[in-house]
Amino acid sequence: MSSAASRASATGRLLTWAVATTMACGAVGLSSATTSAHASTGSTEDAAHEQVTRESTPWLDSTFVELRGTTDTYQRQLFAVAAERGVPWVYDSRLPAGQRWQSLRRVPGSKGSYVFNVSVAGDQKSLDGNGDVQLLIRARTASGIWETRCGVQAKGSAPTAPEVPVLFPTAGPLTNCTPWAAIYP
């Protein structure tokens, strides 16, 4: 194959990837109308998504995390993240109204870079080795992809001790999160 044909093939693959990525990224940001229509099924999870949308601009990613209650039952809790005008945010519905969105620029090690996209995943009892429930949050900036892990529930110190909710601080540094660390420079 000639180098010109090889370049044309690579350009075609790159263009196909760019179109697919643009379409996929466009589908991630949901408008309130889309989310409200989705919430019409009446499930608890749909209602939680609708609540997030009512309290914010469109969000980019969310995850449900199983949190243990005082009676050893589990409750699914919604956490969402958004990148609004380059600032990453995390949503915790356990906080009082008006304080549920917390800026992730308050995580130790934040350099204040413009965030293009942010994602969240829940992790049950494996990230820190202590049995704590954490969120894995990743943010894409011009300088790379960065990661922080935020505790949302700590395991009690004794085998029968209850789980302890960990809330995002509403002022000062987000001390429940590990410092931002580059994973793809």
Side-chain angles (χ1 to χ4, degrees):
M1 179 171 0
S2 73
S3 66
S6 175
R7 280 192 305 272
S9 175
T11 301
R13 282 193 309 270
L14 181 59
L15 182 57
T16 301
W17 174 83
V19 169
T21 302
T22 302
M23 291 177 69
C25 289
V28 172
L30 299 176
S31 70
S32 59
T34 304
T35 305
S36 295
H38 176 69
S40 65
T41 61
S43 76
T44 304
E45 292 178 5
D46 290 338
H49 280 123
E50 186 176 8
Q51 178 69 25
V52 171
T53 303
R54 277 196 312 264
E55 295 183 16
S56 68
T57 58
W59 46 272
L60 294 179
D61 195 16
S62 66
T63 187
F64 279 95
V65 176
E66 300 282 338
L67 299 181
R68 187 178 305 199
T70 56
T71 60
D72 230 12
T73 59
Y74 289 88
Q75 177 182 2
R76 291 172 60 83
Q77 178 68 48
L78 177 72
F79 292 92
V81 291
E84 178 67 27
R85 295 186 178 118
V87 178
W89 298 86
V90 62
Y91 176 87
D92 184 351
S93 64
R94 302 171 302 166
L95 294 171
Q99 297 180 337
R100 293 182 179 153
W101 283 102
Q102 295 298 317
S103 172
L104 289 168
R105 285 199 173 158
R106 295 177 26 228
V107 170
S110 174
K111 299 189 183 341
S113 298
Y114 188 98
V115 173
F116 297 105
N117 203 345
V118 62
S119 67
V120 63
D123 191 77
Q124 303 291 126
K125 308 187 182 324
S126 67
L127 287 176
D128 68 355
N130 295 323
D132 296 344
V133 180
Q134 296 187 342
L135 299 177
L136 172 61
I137 300 173
R138 290 187 173 162
R140 184 174 60 88
T141 68
S143 63
I145 297 177
W146 299 80
E147 170 180 289
T148 184
R149 295 176 174 152
C150 300
V152 293
Q153 188 172 50
K155 185 175 179 166
S157 57
T160 59
E163 304 288 321
V164 179
V166 178
L167 301 175
F168 285 89
T170 57
L174 295 183
T175 54
N176 62 318
C177 299
T178 61
W180 285 109
I183 56 171
Y184 297 111

